Amino acid sequence: MATFTRQPHHPDFTELGSENTPGEHYELCCDDIEFASTYYCGASYVRDGQRWASDGPAGLSLGHRTREDAEQVQIDAYLANSVSSTPRSAPASTSDSAPLPTTWEQALAEAKERGTARCSAPALMASLCAGPLQTMVGAVAPQLVWEGAQKSGMTAKELLHLCSTDPLAVSDLMWL
């Protein structure tokens, strides 16, 4: 039987989100393997009372009343998928000189064709970069940010978190 637990992304920071603070992201684990995360979404376009979100096997899921509701969506998707997860903190396997496995154009085409809920990780990140990235961060080149994030082994969730916490670091991704 699988054991599901939650833990704060940063062990010393356990504050839940609210209208005054984004709070801490919580990682969901199955038998000590991270497979999803939940967080409080303070964005103005999200309705009050439906601000919990999650990211994991079910994709990005917004608009949940409670953290538990957001977690349950990811747990259900995890249990429905018989493929075992690998830890999210696994180091990137690409070297600096290796070409990216997917081009910017291929990733955008896949996101458009399959939708963000069913596309690959590079396509999901390309959709983020082509869409809300410049609104969130400012004057950056979406393709260069995507390429830098791919080279550094970031996930779309990590890039999204970086957009909301350190826009200058997002800009630095253009030069990798």
Side-chain angles (χ1 to χ4, degrees):
M1 177 172 204
T3 303
F4 292 96
T5 57
R6 97 170 53 99
Q7 62 190 18
H9 184 71
H10 299 96
D12 296 334
F13 188 61
T14 58
E15 181 178 5
L16 290 178
S18 70
E19 59 277 352
N20 299 323
T21 177
E24 177 64 354
H25 288 188
Y26 278 78
E27 306 296 339
L28 293 175
C29 302
C30 179
D31 297 328
D32 295 325
I33 296 175
E34 294 176 16
F35 70 93
S37 64
T38 59
Y39 56 94
Y40 183 84
C41 186
S44 62
Y45 54 83
V46 178
R47 291 185 205 174
D48 287 337
Q50 297 179 350
R51 293 197 177 265
W52 283 97
S54 62
D55 182 34
L60 182 61
S61 183
L62 298 168
H64 298 282
R65 225 176 16 85
T66 65
R67 175 176 58 185
E68 290 78 12
D69 291 345
E71 290 171 341
Q72 194 62 52
V73 169
Q74 300 303 332
I75 290 170
D76 291 345
Y78 181 83
L79 291 173
N81 184 359
S82 62
V83 178
S84 64
S85 292
T86 57
R88 298 171 119 218
S89 58
S93 61
T94 58
S95 67
D96 290 340
S97 61
L100 294 174
T102 304
T103 66
W104 168 252
E105 292 81 12
Q106 290 170 330
L108 283 176
E110 179 187 345
K112 183 177 180 181
E113 177 184 322
R114 299 182 73 196
T116 55
R118 293 179 179 83
C119 66
S120 66
L124 178 62
M125 186 182 292
S127 179
L128 168 67
C129 290
L133 179 72
Q134 289 182 315
T135 303
M136 296 173 69
V137 178
V140 294
Q143 181 177 351
L144 295 178
V145 170
W146 177 82
E147 289 173 354
Q150 290 293 302
K151 288 176 186 175
S152 67
M154 293 179 78
T155 65
K157 180 184 178 272
E158 291 168 339
L159 178 58
L160 182 61
H161 181 69
L162 196 62
C163 289
S164 65
T165 59
D166 193 355
L168 292 177
V170 175
S171 177
D172 290 343
L173 289 171
M174 294 190 301
W175 310 108
L176 295 181

